[in-house]
Amino acid sequence: MTNEPVLALGWYRGFARRYLFVIADCALVGVIVAVVVILLSPMSYRGTATVVLSVLPATAADADSAGRSLAIDIDAQLAASTIVLKEAAAKTDFPGGTAALSESLRITARANAHALRIRVSSGDRAKAMAAADAISREPLSVRGQTLAAKLD
């Protein structure tokens, strides 16, 4: 057996009492740093759009049966493509254009699902919502062109 000292509850209370000012000063510094960081960070808004897509056949022969289908990842790649982003940036006059829209875009596509969640961050609330909406609508027109090319 080892002789380890057993600390009673009174010892902890005494420690907190002895170092009360040091503990309070550290907590105050932490609160002040947090307030400064919050005040200096730029305001950011997120626009979110969820798109539920129907399953598309992988080949023309699969169209009449329950054959293979194109994965939701293809639709996510299409929504993040340069063609879609260029059109969405032009329609919404997104600050910074296509490059800034690409940086602020987050697309979530869950496996075995048919829904895409599109999120756009911006300093302007209206621009974030308009860009998310435009990105959610634009792939539908491009999707038809792309699908026709893949099925041929």
Side-chain angles (χ1 to χ4, degrees):
M1 291 182 53
T2 61
N3 293 333
E4 293 181 17
V6 177
L7 301 177
L9 184 61
W11 183 88
Y12 292 106
R13 197 175 333 131
F15 177 84
R17 197 176 313 128
R18 281 190 302 273
Y19 293 102
L20 179 65
F21 291 113
V22 174
I23 294 169
D25 288 344
C26 290
L28 183 63
V29 167
V31 168
I32 290 172
V33 168
V35 168
V36 168
V37 167
I38 289 171
L39 290 176
L40 293 179
S41 63
M43 194 65 89
S44 180
Y45 298 98
R46 284 191 186 140
T48 304
T50 302
V51 181
V52 179
L53 301 164
S54 60
V55 178
L56 293 176
T59 64
D62 293 334
D64 296 331
S65 65
R68 300 176 316 168
S69 64
L70 296 176
I72 193 72
D73 294 338
I74 293 173
D75 289 315
Q77 290 172 0
L78 182 63
S81 69
T82 307
I83 299 167
V84 170
L85 294 180
K86 192 179 293 183
E87 288 294 321
K91 284 182 180 178
T92 61
D93 193 29
F94 197 80
T98 307
L101 184 56
S102 175
E103 288 292 319
S104 66
L105 176 66
R106 299 290 175 260
I107 297 179
T108 306
R110 295 202 172 137
N112 299 323
H114 302 290
L116 288 177
R117 173 172 277 167
I118 300 167
R119 289 186 317 220
V120 177
S121 300
S122 176
D124 184 3
R125 181 182 328 194
K127 295 281 185 189
M129 285 303 300
D133 187 49
I135 292 172
S136 69
R137 293 176 191 274
E138 198 58 39
L140 298 177
S141 63
V142 176
R143 185 184 193 198
Q145 299 164 3
T146 306
L147 179 63
K150 286 184 188 252
L151 291 178
D152 288 337

